[in-house]
Amino acid sequence: LEERLFDEENPPKEKCPAEKDRGPTLAWWFRACCFCYSAVGADMAWRIGYVTCHCAAYPWQLEASLLLLQGCLSFMHDAYFAGRSPAAKMADRCCASFLTLCQPLKLAFCSMDAVQLCVLCCSWTLGLLCFKAGARAFAAGNGRRYQIFHTLWHILLPLGGYLWIEYTRLSVLLLHSSALRRPLLSSQAIWARDVGGEDVSTLLFWGPGNSGPECLHHPGSFLR
């Protein structure tokens, strides 16, 4: 009887929604996709000559460096510490928030065509929607749903960035290709490659003796 009275006076504490269902152990794809930011940062660093040709006023080197760092910060906060480290949480949120704000900020620095604008706006909007959906799932204690939507947040913004960079690279190539060059025959391209040491793809875009716009060979770029 005493035990029953004690149980009634001290009922077990009900877990808050955020503690009810953290779901299964963090999935491998949840952990791996943290590095999507680093992947697009590496692509930006590799193509930095092209994006600089398109928009020289924007600090591409800074964004590429932060993206490379963000993959590590995201992994440390979301996967390694799983939200238990206040320092990792602060570093991840500060860097991620700054990079997220940088995307619409590009509109103030760079002129964009319809495709570039669509890629930027769609990936940014869908990414934020997935982030909010993941946050609601986390608050409700739905661990699996949180992992899915937070992973989509990690994928959509970097994917949009990758598509934007590659489309911009193609635009720069086509814009600066010589309109007056004479089309090369296959035999001429092979001869130029074997004798002159010129790359065939370079010849097809720029023509013989031309290595493309000067901005691709700026000392500060990765393409020299």
Side-chain angles (χ1 to χ4, degrees), residues 112-159:
M112 301 187 193
D113 61 22
V115 175
Q116 289 170 313
L117 191 59
C118 181
V119 169
L120 178 66
C121 292
C122 288
S123 62
W124 190 75
T125 303
L126 290 174
L128 287 178
L129 289 175
C130 288
F131 177 80
K132 295 299 291 183
R136 287 194 296 269
F138 185 86
N142 191 329
R144 175 63 65 178
R145 185 178 176 85
Y146 160 72
Q147 290 188 55
I148 292 172
F149 278 104
H150 203 71
T151 298
L152 288 174
W153 151 254
H154 285 166
I155 291 174
L156 287 171
L157 264 71
L159 177 61

Side-chain angles (χ1 to χ4, degrees), residues 66 69-70 73-74 77 86-102 131 153:
L66 289 177
L69 176 63
Q70 178 58 37
L73 296 178
S74 180
H77 170 53
K89 178 180 180 179
M90 179 64 68
D92 176 38
R93 287 196 171 182
C94 288
C95 189
S97 298
F98 179 77
L99 287 170
T100 302
L101 292 174
C102 281
F131 177 80
W153 151 254

Side-chain angles (χ1 to χ4, degrees), residues 3-33:
E3 291 180 358
R4 183 182 302 175
L5 290 174
F6 179 80
D7 290 340
E8 291 176 354
E9 292 176 359
N10 301 275
K13 294 182 179 179
E14 183 179 354
K15 293 183 179 180
C16 66
E19 295 175 345
K20 286 181 181 177
D21 176 24
R22 276 292 168 257
T25 305
L26 296 178
W28 66 267
W29 40 265
F30 178 83
R31 299 172 183 269
C33 287

